[in-house]
Amino acid sequence: MIQKLPPQLPNLDNLSLAQLVAQMIVVRASGYLFDHQIQYPDWEPPRQKLQHWVQDLGVGGIIFLGGSAAELAVRTEELQSWSAIPLLMAADIEEGVGQRFSGATWFPPPMTLGAILRSNAKAIAPTNPTLALDYAYQMGAVIAQEAEAIGLNWVLAPVVDVNNNPDNPVINIRAFGEDVATVTKLTRAFIKGSQGYPVLTTAKHFPGHGDTAVDSHLALPVLAHSPERLESLELEPFRGAIAAGVDTIMSAHLLIPSWDAQYPATLSPRILTGKLRQELGFEGLIVTDALIMGGITNSYGATEAPILAVEAGADILLMPVDPEGAIAAVVQAVTSGRISLTRIKQSVQRIWQAKQKIYASRLGLQEVNPAKPAIKTCLTTSLAQPSSFALVKSIIDDSLIVEGKVEQVAEIDLLRNNDIAQLNFCNFIYVDEAIDCDFLGRNTPAITIPQARGYKLQILDKNSSDQLKIIDRKIDTDFPPQTLLQLFIRGNPFRGSAKATDKAQNLVKKMLQNGELQALIVYGSPYAYRQLRALLPKAIPSIFSYAQIPLAQAIALQALFQISSNHDPHNKHLGN
């Protein structure tokens, strides 16, 4: 997307102290165009306040969530027009632009690639050992290309944590894998893939959030490992990211007593400056994780946390509780002598270097070929292209796990079609939040494919008032229904637990007791799938997909019913 920008970045000496500090602030905003569409009013300001932050305060960047990709393209262009200095435009798009902004490409979670690399799903690696690395490279390229197309210039990915704790509620399948080698290799490939486009990448969450059982959105996790263990496991993927040329590194809200028993990593000079800057030699931008998270706000005030983060070595303060108050607090810390002006200018100089990389051709820092004038991006030819859909499909295909006697489902399906047997078919879906679910709807395959085969739909989520009644419902055990159980379970921020829920386990046990469980499909967490698969007799079919998106649903159900996508009317989710 070509946007109008000022001709150059101003000289640091021409900016006031408040203007310098404001460049270190990145605020949250809705990706929707209108105030009445704002989904999180506590964190996302209305238009007038956002314009004040950008135009009057001069904040350095925005992080977006929500809306469509097309809406965000309009939104970013307008916000750039408000700012005297080009803005950093960021989003947490670890699984693609479509993960946050509808219409663009949505990839499976990163751990999918780790599974392919380890050949746990299919024996592909012996014939194509670089397949997962190729996928990671292409994924990085597609995400960067689509981000640039809608005005984003800062990809808050990849996650380089080693998820070696299956109870991790917040990292989980957002990580590439459970071992250092897998995470490091895929991290490097993803970063290299993105480097063909003028966007920044981010390795997170330093120094490693993989071995925790507490969600730092809610509380402060403690990583109680020795320095030797931290050096050999947690830090190694970050070394790989730095060697690959990652632009920014995001801190983690973790307490690591062996390094600093007083301050969490985000607020620790020993960790951000001592470890990351000095020992690892990182010269790019250090950005905090969101300062509104419970791991910080539960113990530190809205104005003290930003000061401590700057003292620790952070260049960017992401989502401070009170942006205006944070600027004033850091300014006061400088004028009082607590923080030096030189320290502030060092951070802003790094921000300038990042913005120069993003906007090189438009700031006159890179030659532009006059024979090839800039053309405004056409979103319909730059987002969700057939090649991207094909890539997503290949990744899902190559990581799908199919166990048990799948053929018996197809045999029963044929009996139903021929009206030889009068059977009662039930499609039972469990999802964490049915009312806030981007991947499940009236026309998604998890519903339409079974529906076309006579399955009656039943949906249960954690808010269902009659969930106990549903689980303990009575059935005719002489003629039990044929129940397809589809579970959408994965670790997510703010959820507190990554384990297969008690409800899901109760459902499986009850259906086994009733003799009604025809097949099980789990979308999301491999940890949940392993727990649930262990409850099943070997003959009962089960399928696991890391992805929960409609395309993954179509692929899993076509495998279960043994139908070809070429002959399935629901194959629109397979792309072109």
Side-chain angles (χ1 to χ4, degrees):
M1 162 168 252
I2 303 301
Q3 298 169 331
K4 294 181 180 179
L5 298 171
Q8 60 183 8
L9 296 169
N11 189 302
L12 297 189
D13 294 332
N14 294 334
L15 296 178
S16 69
L17 175 57
Q19 288 174 317
L20 290 170
V21 174
Q23 281 296 303
M24 301 171 67
I25 304 291
V26 171
V27 298
R28 165 82 169 261
S30 170
Y32 291 100
L33 294 177
F34 304 106
D35 286 352
H36 70 270
Q37 296 177 291
I38 288 173
Q39 304 293 301
Y40 303 95
D42 289 343
W43 300 339
E44 298 168 352
R47 176 186 175 85
Q48 187 174 3
K49 179 178 281 189
L50 181 60
Q51 187 167 9
H52 168 62
W53 288 351
V54 173
Q55 211 165 53
D56 303 328
L57 300 184
V59 298
I62 317 286
I63 177 173
F64 296 95
L65 178 66
S68 70
E71 285 175 295
L72 192 68
V74 175
R75 186 87 153 135
T76 56
E77 188 165 22
E78 179 182 48
L79 290 176
Q80 289 286 17
S81 74
W82 290 349
S83 182
I85 298 172
L87 293 164
L88 296 173
M89 299 291 206
D92 279 307
I93 45 178
E94 302 155 7
E95 298 171 26
V97 173
Q99 177 191 12
R100 302 297 186 191
F101 310 104
S102 61
T105 305
W106 192 348
F107 284 92
M111 191 175 281
T112 313
L113 301 181
I116 295 172
L117 186 65
R118 297 190 314 272
S119 302
N120 283 349
K122 292 183 179 179
I124 292 174
T127 57
N128 190 352
T130 67
L131 181 62
L133 301 180
D134 294 342
Y135 284 158
Y137 183 95
Q138 293 175 66
M139 184 173 168
V142 170
I143 291 175
Q145 178 263 315
E146 291 196 352
E148 184 198 14
I150 61 173
L152 295 174
N153 52 45
W154 191 0
V155 174
L156 296 178
V159 171
V160 305
D161 305 310
V162 179
N163 195 77
N164 59 345
N165 185 340
D167 292 333
N168 194 316
V170 63
I171 302 303
N172 210 268
I173 59 175
R174 297 167 61 197
F176 282 120
E178 301 158 307
D179 65 90
V180 171
T182 295
V183 174
T184 303
K185 290 175 183 177
L186 292 170
T187 291
R188 292 174 66 107
F190 181 98
I191 292 169
K192 290 295 185 183
S194 73
Q195 289 172 342
Y197 301 89
V199 301
L200 306 178
T201 52
T202 305
K204 59 187 187 183
H205 307 79
F206 186 84
H209 206 317
D211 193 8
T212 63
V214 174
D215 182 355
S216 55
H217 291 84
L218 305 174
L220 182 65
V222 177
L223 201 58
H225 292 306
S226 68
E228 294 76 19
R229 149 63 194 264
L230 294 166
E231 289 284 342
S232 64
L233 195 151
E234 273 76 12
L235 289 189
E236 195 59 31
F238 288 96
R239 292 191 181 96
I242 293 169
V246 74
D247 302 289
T248 71
I249 291 181
M250 179 181 287
S251 68
H253 302 331
L254 300 170
L255 187 66
I256 308 173
S258 65
W259 282 348
D260 190 333
Q262 182 177 4
Y263 291 114
T266 295
L267 310 180
S268 170
R270 295 180 183 177
I271 295 175
L272 294 192
T273 298
K275 291 292 179 183
L276 184 52
R277 281 276 182 238
Q278 296 172 355
E279 290 188 23
L280 270 63
F282 180 60
E283 298 178 353
L285 283 175
I286 297 177
V287 56
T288 69
D289 205 344
L291 293 176
I292 60 164
M293 292 165 58
I296 296 297
T297 60
N298 290 350
S299 301
Y300 302 92
T303 56
E304 182 64 11
I307 295 172
L308 291 171
V310 173
E311 288 181 320
D315 301 304
I316 295 284
L317 305 175
L318 180 64
M319 293 175 62
V321 174
D322 174 10
E324 200 157 357
I327 294 170
V330 175
V331 167
Q332 176 59 31
V334 175
T335 56
S336 69
R338 179 175 173 180
I339 298 174
S340 71
L341 177 60
T342 299
R343 167 70 190 84
I344 299 299
K345 286 187 174 181
Q346 287 173 344
S347 284
V348 180
Q349 184 59 51
R350 293 188 190 101
I351 294 169
W352 259 221
Q353 291 170 354
K355 291 187 176 184
Q356 286 168 348
K357 173 183 176 177
I358 295 166
Y359 298 113
S361 62
R362 282 166 275 167
L363 291 173
L365 302 173
Q366 180 177 305
E367 289 188 12
V368 178
N369 185 349
K372 299 178 71 175
I375 301 174
K376 189 169 183 177
T377 302
C378 177
L379 297 184
T380 57
T381 59
S382 59
L383 300 177
Q385 295 303 290
S387 58
S388 300
F389 271 89
L391 174 61
V392 172
K393 183 180 183 302
S394 293
I395 293 172
I396 295 172
D397 282 336
D398 291 339
S399 59
L400 196 72
I401 296 175
V402 180
E403 298 183 87
K405 295 185 177 180
V406 179
E407 62 274 9
Q408 68 187 21
V409 176
E411 290 170 1
I412 293 174
D413 191 39
L414 288 173
L415 290 176
R416 179 197 58 76
N417 289 336
N418 293 329
D419 292 326
I420 296 174
Q422 297 298 318
L423 297 174
N424 179 19
F425 292 86
C426 178
N427 176 25
F428 205 114
I429 294 176
Y430 176 82
V431 63
D432 196 38
E433 287 273 8
I435 60 175
D436 185 25
C437 189
D438 294 331
F439 51 79
L440 194 64
R442 184 186 306 276
N443 296 313
T444 47
I447 293 174
T448 58
I449 291 179
Q451 186 177 58
R453 284 162 175 76
Y455 285 74
K456 295 179 181 179
L457 177 64
Q458 177 71 66
I459 297 179
L460 177 70
D461 76 353
K462 68 177 185 180
N463 301 309
S464 300
S465 59
D466 59 346
Q467 53 191 272
L468 293 177
K469 179 180 177 182
I470 294 171
I471 292 173
D472 293 331
R473 72 198 192 286
K474 293 182 179 180
I475 65 169
D476 185 345
T477 54
D478 291 330
F479 297 98
Q482 294 288 302
T483 300
L484 165 61
L485 178 59
Q486 299 188 76
L487 304 175
F488 292 84
I489 301 175
R490 62 171 284 180
N492 281 306
F494 297 103
R495 301 292 166 80
S497 175
K499 295 180 180 178
T501 66
D502 290 340
K503 299 183 193 70
Q505 294 200 40
N506 288 340
L507 279 171
V508 171
K509 291 176 182 178
K510 183 65 175 179
M511 289 180 182
L512 286 172
Q513 179 183 333
N514 292 342
E516 65 176 299
L517 185 60
Q518 181 191 34
L520 170 69
I521 303 179
V522 176
Y523 305 93
S525 169
Y527 310 112
Y529 175 72
R530 290 167 197 162
Q531 291 177 33
L532 297 172
R533 178 65 223 184
L535 301 175
L536 304 183
K538 289 184 179 180
I540 291 183
S542 65
I543 294 178
F544 171 70
S545 171
Y546 286 88
Q548 298 181 326
I549 58 178
L551 178 56
Q553 299 166 28
I555 290 171
L557 287 162
Q558 286 165 2
L560 179 67
F561 290 112
Q562 298 189 334
I563 52 179
S564 168
S565 61
N566 295 327
H567 298 96
D568 194 314
H570 308 277
N571 68 356
K572 65 179 181 178
H573 297 283
L574 300 180
N576 298 320

